[in-house]
Amino acid sequence: MAAAAPLLASPAGAADAVAADGSEDQLFVVHDVSWEQYEAILAALGDRAGVRVTYCEGVLELMSPGGPHEGRKTILARLVEAYAEEAELPLSGYGSMTVRKRLAQRGVEPDECYVLGTVEDGEIPELAIEIIEKSGTINKLSVYAGLGVPEVWFLKKGKLSIHLLGPDGYAETERSRFLPGLDTAELTEFMVRKGDQTTVVRAWRAMLRNRGRR
């Protein structure tokens, strides 16, 4: 904790600091952070809810998501998980677990992440999801590529983009490799439906079940 406190308190180390109320994401960026300082900050934060940390080659971002961010994250996760249940897929979610590799000098805490089956300690998720309300200085795809995450979804301004990792980096695609039967256009449509989340998820399940009976 001692190593982390001066780094976070010093305005000279911050490239960008955005203050906001609970309706907006709050972003704090610090440069020239060593791997040891990054790990000290993770240890200092512990399981503190609402703070997500991204690290890439000396640049550290701390993000505290606002209400709209968390609402979009939650409805997307609920719809994906409902789809997996209806499709009888062995989907396991690991939320915002910390994924990091010292050799790659990268670490991230996605909004949501998943595997088919279960993940062992230190393993990489197969799918990571990021809700982008406020862009930082770190290129998240560069972080995920360095960590070897096969598939990344970004939801930004209501648009869902899917990125698949290949030999030359990520390529954007229309379909998920991780959930190939999922119609992402329909998924996005249900995400923006009016009403409470439970009602939207019930309608999503009903549509999936009716389609399965055809």
Side-chain angles (χ1 to χ4, degrees):
M1 291 181 66
L7 189 63
L8 296 179
S10 170
D16 185 26
V18 180
D21 60 22
S23 66
E24 296 182 359
D25 290 0
Q26 298 179 58
L27 183 66
F28 185 51
V29 183
V30 188
H31 292 271
D32 301 319
V33 180
S34 70
W35 184 263
E36 289 74 19
Q37 288 172 319
Y38 163 58
E39 292 198 317
I41 289 168
L42 290 178
L45 291 172
D47 294 328
R48 186 176 301 174
V51 178
R52 298 193 182 107
V53 183
T54 304
Y55 180 83
C56 184
E57 297 179 333
V59 180
L60 180 83
E61 286 185 2
L62 296 99
M63 193 270 290
S64 178
H69 182 129
E70 293 296 83
R72 293 182 182 100
K73 177 208 75 148
T74 301
I75 186 59
L76 178 54
R78 291 183 66 175
L79 291 170
V80 167
E81 290 159 15
Y83 169 81
E85 289 177 17
E86 296 300 323
E88 299 183 351
L89 296 173
L91 186 72
S92 295
Y94 290 88
S96 298
M97 79 172 190
T98 302
V99 185
R100 63 187 188 270
K101 286 184 178 179
R102 179 169 189 149
L103 188 61
Q105 289 288 293
R106 283 162 168 76
V108 71
E109 295 171 347
D111 283 304
E112 297 286 347
C113 63
Y114 295 95
V115 299
L116 291 176
T118 59
V119 65
E120 301 297 330
D121 185 42
E123 286 188 345
I124 301 298
E126 296 173 89
L127 168 65
I129 297 175
E130 292 274 355
I131 311 301
I132 308 298
E133 297 287 327
K134 190 184 297 293
S135 297
T137 60
I138 292 178
N139 182 329
K140 285 289 186 72
L141 281 180
S142 172
V143 176
Y144 282 112
L147 294 170
V149 176
E151 182 167 328
V152 180
W153 294 5
F154 289 135
L155 181 71
K156 184 175 183 179
K157 296 182 179 179
K159 180 180 183 297
L160 182 67
S161 60
I162 298 173
H163 305 265
L164 302 181
L165 184 61
D168 300 320
Y170 285 101
E172 189 170 346
T173 183
E174 294 292 326
R175 284 274 176 176
S176 167
R177 184 188 298 152
F178 182 71
L179 300 170
L182 178 64
D183 187 321
T184 53
E186 288 180 341
L187 177 68
T188 306
E189 177 190 329
F190 272 84
M191 279 196 62
V192 298
R193 282 200 177 191
K194 295 188 180 298
D196 64 272
Q197 292 180 1
T198 298
T199 299
V200 172
V201 174
R202 283 176 177 163
W204 173 247
R205 284 185 183 275
M207 185 203 69
L208 293 172
R209 288 173 182 176
N210 286 336
R211 178 171 298 162
R213 295 190 190 103
R214 293 175 189 169

